[in-house]
Amino acid sequence: MTMKQESVWRVVPHQHRGPAEHTGAEDHVRSPRKHNGSFKSRGLATFMGAPYCPPDRDEIRKMGAKICFLGCPWDQGQIVRAGTSQGTSGLREATTQYFPYMFEYDVDLLTFFRVVDCGDIPNVPGNNEKSHELIDQYITECLEGGAKVIMSGGDHSLPIPGSRALSRYMAKGRIGYLHVDSHLDAGPDWAGNKITNCSGPARAIELPNCSARNMAHMGSRNSLNPKDWWDFYVDNDIRVIAMREIVERGIEVCTAEIFEIAWKGTDAVYFSWDTDSIDISCMPGSTSPECYGLKGREAIALARVAGRYGCDVLDVVELAPYFDVSHMSIKMAANMIYHYLGSRARTLIEQGKTP
Amino acid sequence: MNPAKSYAHLFSPLGGEGADNYRAPNVLTFLRSSHVPLDAAALKASGARYAFVGIPFDEGNVGKPGSEEGPREFRLASQEYFTYWFEYNVDLYGVAVDCGDASMPKVSPEVARERIYRAVREVLKAGLIPIIVGGDRSISIAATKALSDHIGAGKKMGYLHFGAHLDLADSWAGEKHLAPCALARITELPNLDARNVAHIGARNAMNPKDWIDLAKERGIRFHPMFELLQRGVYEVTAEAIDRVWQGTDAQYVSFNFNVMDASDAPGVTSTEPGGLESREMMRIAELIGQRKTLSVIDVSELCPVFDVSGTAARLAVCVVTRIMAALAKERGEEIDASIRRADLLSGDGKSA
């Protein structure tokens, strides 16, 4: 590890090196001494107050980042109401209200993972194909840079280019694909369009190194689930844990089950987590929110169990702050990611591993 | 696959004119059903099981206004859903029709009540199940009377009431047909025995002493929220449903979604903390549907102006349609699970 790499992290959070001098290398995990640091005074709003890193494999490698945050304000791949283009800025906004230190796991996420924010992926309005191509490229850069990816949506068409990128990156191995959502999202196409927000699993199964036995769906309920979506799971013999089963068996055992499926004989896992898997009472700021969903405490339990297993790309999609109330949805989304990372860090520490 | 029948609605759209976007229907109706005039002969000819009637009337409220917008919001929320239910393998397509809203006069509550009564009677006369969406809780007074008169003195009816408030005011400021008088009037119907009445979800202090006294006087069994939590939601609800269906020829199910916790249904006129959760209500809806028969469903006191992200309206739609789906399954109306979307396509990939 070179001094140059160190220096980037010594000034975390990097935004506050101005006249009111930053007071110490580890100030970001403690109550402020001289001034508020990055807590609520955000400077440039980045995820977790992380340093900006250009979405370039060499730059990412140079910074030694192990988690790249990518915003993806793309919401024209959806069949429901619009609004998710604001999700990524909403999520960054929510993280300004948190410390990167999590007492539950006794870890500083920022320095443990060397988190960087690679900014937002650009898109081409009105062109789903070109926008997906850019998503694919940006994720590829992060993976090639040696990092795992947290992508904030954006609509639920994101896992289509996202899982494609992971599949290519892991071309010599096998990948698993998990879809947690109130909707089954397995349309072969929607009125002829094959890459909308309701076809993630249907596209994932077509990837050369992703098979049905490493795919699972969890959280489905209610009647925005046309029959072809259901038939996809029946015909391909893919495990579906519907909401009723989660209520009966508990979220932790169900989450463990889908991650066991995804990691069985695979080398990487794509985990796509739709905010509408969470109950509308805890997540109103989503584009097609549903009652009969996971409660806040269950979503966090899911994240914790997920952190025990880990994944290579986590997307949190369909976050729509327009419909939010009192920041509850954006803070929920931030916590889905934070608790995942916290649990992941704690797991790695206990295994004596580094990220 | 029966070639005479259309199956396209079961699946995500194949494309083409009019089939691209399920959220952009030509006409706004409950669950994109057909509009049928509120006329017994036309309703009978429709072959449907349910007739949706909006009742935009909120001049019976004593608290917050706003339930007048309930039917419109309920229809809007229903556009978010398909008629197919993977949880039951049933299809509600064609099961309901929409009769539009009953025309409500302003500042003439007596005329309004008469029209509500006539609307419900007309649907019942045609042999369909009215789904009426208010409007405030006072609509249940006229609607239950319509059911009572429809079945006649020789038959018995049951009544199941969901809400945070008992609505047992014998009169309110001298008025007898306001929302808080609903259960007081309903339990005076000649063919409704108190043994077949159940109230679920009462809590908090908008339940003055005279309401409790009247419940005792009339022998009305109510299950307060504390009882549900102590004894178990499903055990108590099953018991309440048993009372309503036991020995009755017709059953009326009446929802005020303030039975839900305020977090699960902010868009109602009078939210209350400490209520049911949506996963509990989903099970309850299924228990009701599993009875196979019911006569009227009403939803009142939706208040879209207070709603958050469609929470209450979507919940209301999910509860009503889940009852319909569970009922269809219980009646053995599961569809042929082997039908596939690909069957609809001819060789060139275009819609057959």
Side-chain angles (χ1 to χ4, degrees), chain B residues 39-41 43-51 120-130 150 294-295 331:
Chain B
D39 168 78
L43 284 168
K44 192 170 258 180
S46 74
R49 175 177 293 154
Y50 303 92
V120 176
R121 278 219 73 174
E122 192 72 14
V123 175
L124 289 168
K125 198 169 125 193
L128 276 68
I129 300 167
H150 173 74
L294 58 83
S295 309
R331 287 190 168 208

Tab-separated table of all heavy atoms in Angstrom, chain B residues 39-41 43-51 120-130 150 294-295 331:
chain	number	residue	atom	x	y	z
B	39	ASP	N	-78.802	-1.194	-14.042
B	39	ASP	CA	-80.120	-1.657	-14.445
B	39	ASP	C	-80.124	-3.176	-14.299
B	39	ASP	O	-79.229	-3.865	-14.802
B	39	ASP	CB	-80.358	-1.249	-15.909
B	39	ASP	CG	-81.580	-1.931	-16.498
B	39	ASP	OD1	-82.692	-1.487	-16.191
B	39	ASP	OD2	-81.390	-2.930	-17.233
B	40	ALA	N	-81.114	-3.695	-13.609
B	40	ALA	CA	-81.109	-5.117	-13.251
B	40	ALA	C	-81.015	-6.023	-14.471
B	40	ALA	O	-80.254	-6.994	-14.466
B	40	ALA	CB	-82.346	-5.451	-12.414
B	41	ALA	N	-81.752	-5.690	-15.520
B	41	ALA	CA	-81.744	-6.557	-16.709
B	41	ALA	C	-80.356	-6.561	-17.355
B	41	ALA	O	-79.826	-7.622	-17.723
B	41	ALA	CB	-82.798	-6.082	-17.707
B	43	LEU	N	-77.523	-5.836	-15.926
B	43	LEU	CA	-76.566	-6.475	-15.024
B	43	LEU	C	-76.671	-7.993	-15.118
B	43	LEU	O	-75.667	-8.706	-15.155
B	43	LEU	CB	-76.805	-6.012	-13.589
B	43	LEU	CG	-76.311	-4.600	-13.267
B	43	LEU	CD1	-76.863	-4.121	-11.919
B	43	LEU	CD2	-74.782	-4.557	-13.244
B	44	LYS	N	-77.907	-8.471	-15.151
B	44	LYS	CA	-78.123	-9.912	-15.247
B	44	LYS	C	-77.516	-10.437	-16.544
B	44	LYS	O	-76.846	-11.466	-16.570
B	44	LYS	CB	-79.631	-10.198	-15.211
B	44	LYS	CG	-79.962	-11.673	-15.010
B	44	LYS	CD	-81.430	-11.879	-14.731
B	44	LYS	CE	-81.643	-12.107	-13.249
B	44	LYS	NZ	-83.001	-12.315	-12.824
B	45	ALA	N	-77.728	-9.687	-17.631
B	45	ALA	CA	-77.218	-10.110	-18.940
B	45	ALA	C	-75.691	-10.118	-18.995
B	45	ALA	O	-75.099	-10.825	-19.801
B	45	ALA	CB	-77.774	-9.189	-20.025
B	46	SER	N	-75.059	-9.333	-18.123
B	46	SER	CA	-73.591	-9.242	-18.154
B	46	SER	C	-72.919	-10.548	-17.742
B	46	SER	O	-71.771	-10.807	-18.097
B	46	SER	CB	-73.112	-8.127	-17.219
B	46	SER	OG	-73.228	-8.541	-15.863
B	47	GLY	N	-73.626	-11.358	-16.967
B	47	GLY	CA	-73.048	-12.615	-16.516
B	47	GLY	C	-71.989	-12.463	-15.438
B	47	GLY	O	-71.309	-13.418	-15.089
B	48	ALA	N	-71.847	-11.249	-14.907
B	48	ALA	CA	-70.822	-11.020	-13.886
B	48	ALA	C	-71.310	-11.474	-12.511
B	48	ALA	O	-72.498	-11.718	-12.301
B	48	ALA	CB	-70.452	-9.544	-13.855
B	49	ARG	N	-70.375	-11.594	-11.587
B	49	ARG	CA	-70.733	-11.942	-10.209
B	49	ARG	C	-70.826	-10.698	-9.334
B	49	ARG	O	-71.609	-10.645	-8.399
B	49	ARG	CB	-69.693	-12.905	-9.637
B	49	ARG	CG	-69.893	-13.251	-8.168
B	49	ARG	CD	-68.883	-14.268	-7.673
B	49	ARG	NE	-69.095	-15.560	-8.305
B	49	ARG	CZ	-68.151	-16.480	-8.471
B	49	ARG	NH1	-66.935	-16.252	-8.039
B	49	ARG	NH2	-68.420	-17.619	-9.064
B	50	TYR	N	-69.980	-9.700	-9.639
B	50	TYR	CA	-69.924	-8.494	-8.810
B	50	TYR	C	-70.250	-7.251	-9.645
B	50	TYR	O	-69.865	-7.174	-10.813
B	50	TYR	CB	-68.520	-8.286	-8.246
B	50	TYR	CG	-67.982	-9.437	-7.437
B	50	TYR	CD1	-67.224	-10.435	-8.045
B	50	TYR	CD2	-68.219	-9.521	-6.064
B	50	TYR	CE1	-66.706	-11.492	-7.315
B	50	TYR	CE2	-67.702	-10.584	-5.324
B	50	TYR	CZ	-66.947	-11.566	-5.952
B	50	TYR	OH	-66.442	-12.607	-5.221
B	51	ALA	N	-70.908	-6.291	-9.031
B	51	ALA	CA	-71.116	-4.990	-9.681
B	51	ALA	C	-70.552	-3.906	-8.775
B	51	ALA	O	-70.929	-3.794	-7.605
B	51	ALA	CB	-72.598	-4.747	-9.932
B	120	VAL	N	-78.201	-0.216	-4.590
B	120	VAL	CA	-77.847	-1.523	-4.038
B	120	VAL	C	-78.965	-2.539	-4.321
B	120	VAL	O	-78.704	-3.684	-4.700
B	120	VAL	CB	-77.552	-1.410	-2.524
B	120	VAL	CG1	-77.282	-2.769	-1.914
B	120	VAL	CG2	-76.362	-0.480	-2.293
B	121	ARG	N	-80.212	-2.101	-4.190
B	121	ARG	CA	-81.330	-3.020	-4.465
B	121	ARG	C	-81.338	-3.471	-5.917
B	121	ARG	O	-81.639	-4.619	-6.226
B	121	ARG	CB	-82.665	-2.343	-4.132
B	121	ARG	CG	-82.965	-2.428	-2.652
B	121	ARG	CD	-84.406	-2.676	-2.330
B	121	ARG	NE	-84.863	-4.039	-2.615
B	121	ARG	CZ	-86.060	-4.476	-2.289
B	121	ARG	NH1	-86.920	-3.690	-1.660
B	121	ARG	NH2	-86.425	-5.698	-2.572
B	122	GLU	N	-81.018	-2.540	-6.801
B	122	GLU	CA	-81.027	-2.874	-8.229
B	122	GLU	C	-80.002	-3.978	-8.538
B	122	GLU	O	-80.293	-4.924	-9.258
B	122	GLU	CB	-80.731	-1.610	-9.057
B	122	GLU	CG	-80.981	-1.732	-10.540
B	122	GLU	CD	-82.471	-1.787	-10.920
B	122	GLU	OE1	-83.331	-1.463	-10.054
B	122	GLU	OE2	-82.779	-2.188	-12.064
B	123	VAL	N	-78.813	-3.820	-7.960
B	123	VAL	CA	-77.764	-4.829	-8.188
B	123	VAL	C	-78.190	-6.170	-7.592
B	123	VAL	O	-78.040	-7.228	-8.224
B	123	VAL	CB	-76.419	-4.367	-7.578
B	123	VAL	CG1	-75.368	-5.462	-7.717
B	123	VAL	CG2	-75.936	-3.075	-8.232
B	124	LEU	N	-78.754	-6.127	-6.377
B	124	LEU	CA	-79.174	-7.367	-5.722
B	124	LEU	C	-80.290	-8.045	-6.512
B	124	LEU	O	-80.318	-9.270	-6.640
B	124	LEU	CB	-79.636	-7.074	-4.288
B	124	LEU	CG	-78.521	-6.686	-3.307
B	124	LEU	CD1	-79.125	-6.138	-2.008
B	124	LEU	CD2	-77.613	-7.879	-3.000
B	125	LYS	N	-81.183	-7.231	-7.046
B	125	LYS	CA	-82.290	-7.760	-7.843
B	125	LYS	C	-81.764	-8.550	-9.050
B	125	LYS	O	-82.343	-9.557	-9.455
B	125	LYS	CB	-83.150	-6.586	-8.340
B	125	LYS	CG	-84.552	-6.959	-8.801
B	125	LYS	CD	-85.376	-5.693	-9.012
B	125	LYS	CE	-85.942	-5.661	-10.433
B	125	LYS	NZ	-86.479	-4.343	-10.787
B	126	ALA	N	-80.645	-8.077	-9.590
B	126	ALA	CA	-80.054	-8.760	-10.744
B	126	ALA	C	-79.298	-10.022	-10.339
B	126	ALA	O	-78.838	-10.777	-11.185
B	126	ALA	CB	-79.108	-7.802	-11.462
B	127	GLY	N	-79.170	-10.236	-9.027
B	127	GLY	CA	-78.477	-11.429	-8.547
B	127	GLY	C	-76.971	-11.263	-8.459
B	127	GLY	O	-76.239	-12.240	-8.338
B	128	LEU	N	-76.467	-10.027	-8.521
B	128	LEU	CA	-75.030	-9.774	-8.408
B	128	LEU	C	-74.675	-9.311	-6.992
B	128	LEU	O	-75.548	-8.909	-6.222
B	128	LEU	CB	-74.583	-8.705	-9.418
B	128	LEU	CG	-74.274	-9.198	-10.836
B	128	LEU	CD1	-75.521	-9.682	-11.540
B	128	LEU	CD2	-73.592	-8.102	-11.639
B	129	ILE	N	-73.402	-9.367	-6.695
B	129	ILE	CA	-72.917	-8.900	-5.399
B	129	ILE	C	-72.460	-7.452	-5.560
B	129	ILE	O	-71.531	-7.190	-6.323
B	129	ILE	CB	-71.737	-9.766	-4.915
B	129	ILE	CG1	-72.175	-11.221	-4.763
B	129	ILE	CG2	-71.153	-9.205	-3.613
B	129	ILE	CD1	-71.021	-12.203	-4.596
B	130	PRO	N	-73.100	-6.513	-4.882
B	130	PRO	CA	-72.621	-5.132	-4.993
B	130	PRO	C	-71.305	-4.944	-4.241
B	130	PRO	O	-71.147	-5.433	-3.122
B	130	PRO	CB	-73.722	-4.301	-4.319
B	130	PRO	CG	-74.858	-5.245	-4.078
B	130	PRO	CD	-74.285	-6.617	-4.026
B	150	HIS	N	-84.260	-6.754	0.442
B	150	HIS	CA	-84.123	-7.661	-0.704
B	150	HIS	C	-84.378	-9.107	-0.294
B	150	HIS	O	-85.097	-9.837	-0.982
B	150	HIS	CB	-82.722	-7.532	-1.309
B	150	HIS	CG	-82.434	-8.547	-2.374
B	150	HIS	ND1	-82.983	-8.479	-3.632
B	150	HIS	CD2	-81.674	-9.685	-2.348
B	150	HIS	CE1	-82.568	-9.518	-4.353
B	150	HIS	NE2	-81.771	-10.258	-3.591
B	294	LEU	N	-71.138	-14.435	-0.205
B	294	LEU	CA	-71.395	-13.204	0.532
B	294	LEU	C	-72.302	-12.350	-0.322
B	294	LEU	O	-72.479	-12.626	-1.519
B	294	LEU	CB	-70.094	-12.485	0.933
B	294	LEU	CG	-69.088	-12.054	-0.128
B	294	LEU	CD1	-69.492	-10.732	-0.734
B	294	LEU	CD2	-67.725	-11.888	0.524
B	295	SER	N	-72.919	-11.349	0.277
B	295	SER	CA	-73.978	-10.630	-0.430
B	295	SER	C	-73.589	-9.217	-0.833
B	295	SER	O	-73.959	-8.758	-1.912
B	295	SER	CB	-75.238	-10.576	0.443
B	295	SER	OG	-75.546	-11.870	0.897
B	331	ARG	N	-64.523	-21.847	-4.801
B	331	ARG	CA	-65.597	-22.379	-5.637
B	331	ARG	C	-65.068	-23.259	-6.766
B	331	ARG	O	-65.813	-23.623	-7.672
B	331	ARG	CB	-66.377	-21.217	-6.241
B	331	ARG	CG	-67.245	-20.505	-5.232
B	331	ARG	CD	-68.161	-19.539	-5.946
B	331	ARG	NE	-69.192	-19.064	-5.053
B	331	ARG	CZ	-70.393	-18.668	-5.456
B	331	ARG	NH1	-70.699	-18.686	-6.738
B	331	ARG	NH2	-71.276	-18.233	-4.584
